[in-house]
Amino acid sequence: MDQIPLRYGTNPHQKNARVFALDGSLPIQVLNGQPSYINILDALYGWQLVRELKAATGLAAAASFKHTSPAGAAVAKPLTPEFRRSQFLAEEDLSPAATAYARARGGDRMSSYGDAAAVSDVVDVSLAKMLGREVSDLIVAPGYEPEALEVLKAKQGGRYLVLQIDPNYQPPEMERREMFGVGLEQQRNAATIDRLLLQNVVTQQKDIPDGVAETLIVATVALKYTQSNSVCVAYDGQVIGMGAGQQSRVHCTRLACDKAEKWFLQMHPRVLDLPFAEGLKRPEKANVVDQFLLWEQLSDAERAAMLAGLRGEPEPIGRDERLAWMRRFDGIGLSSDGYIPFRDNIDRAARSNVQYVIQPGGSIRDEPVIAAADEYGMVMVESGLRLFVH
C-alpha cells in the first residue's frame, strides 16, 4: 500500500497517523519535511481550489490555507504600488505564481500567518524567495524549479514542508469518510463554477462586467473549499474577506465585510504613512496596522501597546472617513455558500460598498432579500448551487 507516515493526527497526542492511497498510488509526494494530518488536509483542499481557479480563469492561482479553510485566494494580476506598500513588498519582478500568492496571502495577512500555500503553477525562484520571508508551514504545487526547491529546503532550518502533487490526478467519483466508527459515503462535489453560474440575475440591475464576473467566480470557488457556513467578499479577482465556519449567515457576512473593509483601509494614505518604530519586523507592523484600524474599539492598555510600535500618535480614521474611502472602490462582490435568509446580510454588505452578490437562492424569504438588493442598486445572481463543506 502506498502511504506516508505522519508526525501526528489532528493533535500531537493522536498517534499512528498516516495518509494512504485507497487505490493505486498517492498523488502527493513529500519533497522536504514531515507532514501532519492537518498539513495534508490543507494541502489537498488548497490544491483543489487553485486547480479550479486556474481552469475557470486561465490565470495562475494561489491560496493561503489555515485550518482547512482559505484565509485568501487570488488569481495573478498586476500589483498596484499601494498594495505593495500595504503588504511591505519590495519592488521586484514576480512570476505569475508569485504574484497570485502575494495577493492570496495579502487578502488577510493576519490569518495567513503560518499558512499552507497552494499554487497552480510550477514554483520559481521569485515565489520561493517570497515564501522564505514569510511565516508559512508548507507549500503544495505541481512542480518546482531546481533552484527554487533548494531555497525552500533551507527554510526553517530544513524543516519547511514541500509537497508536490500530480496535476493530472483525478479522484474517484465517490468519496468516503469515517467518524466515530461510522462510515459515510457521497458523490464528490464536482460542480463546475464558471460564468454559466451567473445567468440567473434576479435584481433590476442586470449588468455584470467581465472583471466582476471573474471576481464572483474566484469568491465562489473559494467557498467550495471553505468550512460552512461561509460568506466571501472579493475584489479584482482576489478574496479580501472570508467569513467561515459561523453558525449564522449574518455573522459570516459581518466577519467577511469587516475583513474586507480592513483590506481596503490598509491602502488609505494615513495607514501607508504610519511612522513605525525602528526595528519593527513585518508581522509586528501588520499587528500595529490591525490595531490602528480598530482604534475606537481598543482599551487604554491595547492603545498604549499599539502606540509603542509607532513614533508619535497618528490621527485615527473616523467612521465618516472610512465610509467615504470604501465608496472609492467599484466592483466589490460577495458570494454566499447557502441562501441568504434575511435582508440584514444585504444591509451589512451595502455598508461595505458591496455591489454584486451571488447566492444559491431558494429561501422562502427570497423576495425581501432581492428587494433589499434593489434598494441599494445591487446586482444579485441566484445560482441554484449550494456549496456546503463539513
Side-chain angles (χ1 to χ4, degrees):
M1 178 185 291
D2 192 7
Q3 62 181 321
I4 300 170
L6 303 176
R7 281 185 293 148
Y8 48 75
T10 306
N11 298 290
H13 65 270
Q14 292 175 266
K15 307 296 184 183
N16 301 318
R18 63 177 179 142
V19 56
F20 58 94
L22 293 173
D23 184 24
S25 300
L26 282 170
I28 196 163
Q29 301 178 59
V30 178
L31 302 185
N32 195 68
Q34 185 180 7
S36 70
Y37 191 95
I38 293 176
N39 290 154
I40 295 296
L41 289 177
D42 282 343
L44 293 176
Y45 274 123
W47 167 249
Q48 291 178 84
L49 195 164
V50 299
R51 180 181 67 168
E52 289 195 32
L53 279 186
K54 177 74 177 278
T57 66
L59 300 172
S64 176
F65 254 76
K66 283 287 292 291
H67 299 293
T68 65
S69 285
V75 293
K77 289 192 172 185
L79 305 181
T80 66
E82 294 79 11
F83 178 81
R84 283 182 182 268
R85 286 186 64 193
S86 75
Q87 302 302 314
F88 315 112
L89 293 172
E91 289 291 336
E92 58 184 338
D93 290 333
L94 298 174
S95 66
T99 300
Y101 179 67
R103 301 181 83 224
R105 188 178 178 97
D108 183 355
R109 65 184 176 203
M110 300 290 287
S111 297
S112 290
Y113 187 87
D115 70 342
V119 293
S120 63
D121 292 18
V122 170
V123 176
D124 71 327
V125 173
S126 69
L127 176 52
K129 288 183 176 179
M130 179 185 293
L131 281 163
R133 297 190 295 266
E134 303 290 359
V135 179
S136 173
D137 285 351
L138 71 88
I139 183 169
V140 59
Y144 298 83
E145 292 181 354
E147 186 179 349
L149 183 57
E150 292 308 308
V151 171
L152 293 171
K153 283 183 175 181
K155 183 176 170 63
Q156 294 181 355
R159 299 186 306 276
Y160 187 64
L161 182 58
V162 181
L163 301 173
Q164 182 167 318
I165 194 155
D166 178 2
N168 298 315
Y169 173 75
Q170 294 296 330
E173 181 181 359
M174 300 299 293
E175 62 183 14
R176 298 171 181 84
R177 180 178 180 183
E178 181 183 308
M179 177 169 288
F180 200 57
V182 176
L184 294 94
E185 184 176 63
Q186 66 174 352
Q187 186 179 40
R188 188 174 62 87
N189 186 357
T192 299
I193 297 169
D194 56 22
R195 296 189 184 218
L196 294 177
L197 210 61
L198 308 179
Q199 293 180 325
N200 184 28
V201 182
V202 295
T203 45
Q204 295 170 11
Q205 297 293 326
K206 304 290 185 184
D207 183 50
I208 303 176
D210 286 345
V212 173
E214 182 179 77
T215 293
L216 292 175
I217 289 169
V218 168
T220 306
V221 171
L223 288 179
K224 188 177 174 183
Y225 298 100
T226 302
Q227 300 299 305
S228 299
N229 284 327
S230 54
V231 165
C232 179
V233 177
Y235 175 74
D236 193 28
Q238 175 182 354
V239 171
I240 60 171
M242 182 64 80
Q246 303 302 302
Q247 285 72 35
S248 84
R249 191 147 306 276
V250 72
H251 284 92
C252 299
T253 301
R254 291 170 184 166
L255 183 57
C257 289
D258 286 350
K259 290 182 176 183
E261 287 185 14
K262 189 183 299 181
W263 185 87
F264 284 113
L265 286 164
Q266 286 174 355
M267 292 176 284
H268 190 285
R270 206 172 306 156
V271 176
L272 295 179
D273 291 335
L274 281 175
F276 295 109
E278 293 294 329
L280 235 58
K281 296 180 179 179
R282 292 167 67 244
E284 294 169 326
K285 290 179 180 179
N287 285 335
V288 169
V289 170
D290 186 71
Q291 291 176 307
F292 175 72
L293 294 175
L294 296 172
W295 182 280
E296 295 177 353
Q297 302 174 37
L298 299 180
S299 67
D300 290 343
E302 289 171 323
R303 195 168 295 166
M306 183 267 291
L307 290 173
L310 295 171
R311 292 176 282 107
E313 184 171 326
E315 180 187 355
I317 304 172
R319 172 182 168 81
D320 290 343
E321 235 183 325
R322 296 167 77 102
L323 292 174
W325 181 255
M326 292 297 299
R327 298 296 171 204
R328 297 163 59 102
F329 300 93
D330 294 322
I332 304 171
L334 179 149
S335 185
S336 176
D337 69 348
Y339 65 67
I340 295 177
F342 297 102
R343 69 165 292 156
D344 53 1
N345 293 270
I346 304 303
D347 293 329
R348 177 62 190 90
R351 181 150 51 92
S352 294
N353 200 28
V354 168
Q355 299 130 8
Y356 300 88
V357 176
I358 179 170
Q359 58 132 338
S363 167
I364 59 173
R365 285 178 289 270
D366 273 353
E367 285 190 18
V369 170
I370 295 168
D374 281 330
E375 285 180 31
Y376 293 111
M378 293 179 180
V379 176
M380 178 178 284
V381 174
E382 288 193 350
S383 66
L385 179 66
R386 194 180 80 174
L387 292 168
F388 283 178
V389 179
H390 287 277

